[in-house]
Amino acid sequence: MKKFRFSLLFAFLFPLALSLGFACYAGKNILLYPVAFIAVINELIFLKEVSDNRSRDKGILSALVISSTISVLMYFAASVEHTEAMILTGCLLVLLGCIIRTWAKVTLGIHFSHTLRVLDGHKLINYGLFRFIRHPAYSGTILLMAGFGCFLHPDAALLCFFVFFILAMRRIENEEEMMKESFGHRYSLYSKYSWKLFPFVI
């Protein structure tokens, strides 16, 4: 468990620390970096996830991809002359994304995972935020990545939104297949009165 948490911490923080180091060396504006560090550290708050060899994918890789993307965005954003609208919109999206992800983690407890896996005695969570959205953690990721894109350029925000939306949909396809195998008709019924990511949209 401790080894897994350390690996997750390393995957989230190392790319961002490296990006900050290069930005400082290049004399760039690093005032927005605390927003990025708070967002990635938030991933470990309230986390009760346990490592499981039966996982269908490696959550460490996902964490590394997300953190590396944030790190690249922050490095190039450090050279941009930001408008108040860019900063405000970016911060609001990052904050909203973090709140949604934290809400999902708290609701799921030990069932929350950065990997695709079903624990022994796994429960189908369909209350709280999950009453309306089946994959709110992914919704939060999409929003916060769009927020970091805002720090660079509005076009970068749109690109991040759509790229991570596509990645989330691919992962959701595998996750829902796994959930249907585990919960059968209960999950199919749950799918009929909830949305995948965003209410009234998809």
Side-chain angles (χ1 to χ4, degrees), residues 36-109:
F37 275 99
I38 291 171
V40 297
I41 290 174
N42 178 65
E43 280 302 303
L44 297 175
I45 299 176
F46 304 113
L47 185 65
K48 296 181 179 179
E49 179 179 5
V50 294
S51 181
D52 192 329
N53 293 329
R54 295 168 297 177
S55 300
R56 294 195 180 189
D57 70 349
K58 298 300 181 182
I60 301 299
L61 179 60
S62 298
L64 194 59
V65 168
I66 290 172
S67 181
S68 296
T69 303
I70 293 174
S71 300
V72 171
L73 288 170
M74 293 304 297
Y75 179 81
F76 287 106
S79 301
V80 173
E81 186 174 342
H82 300 95
T83 65
E84 290 184 3
M86 288 171 65
I87 295 176
L88 181 60
T89 303
C91 287
L92 286 175
L93 286 172
V94 171
L95 177 62
L96 181 59
C98 287
I99 289 173
I100 292 174
R101 283 189 62 82
T102 300
W103 189 354
K105 284 186 292 183
V106 171
T107 303
L108 288 176

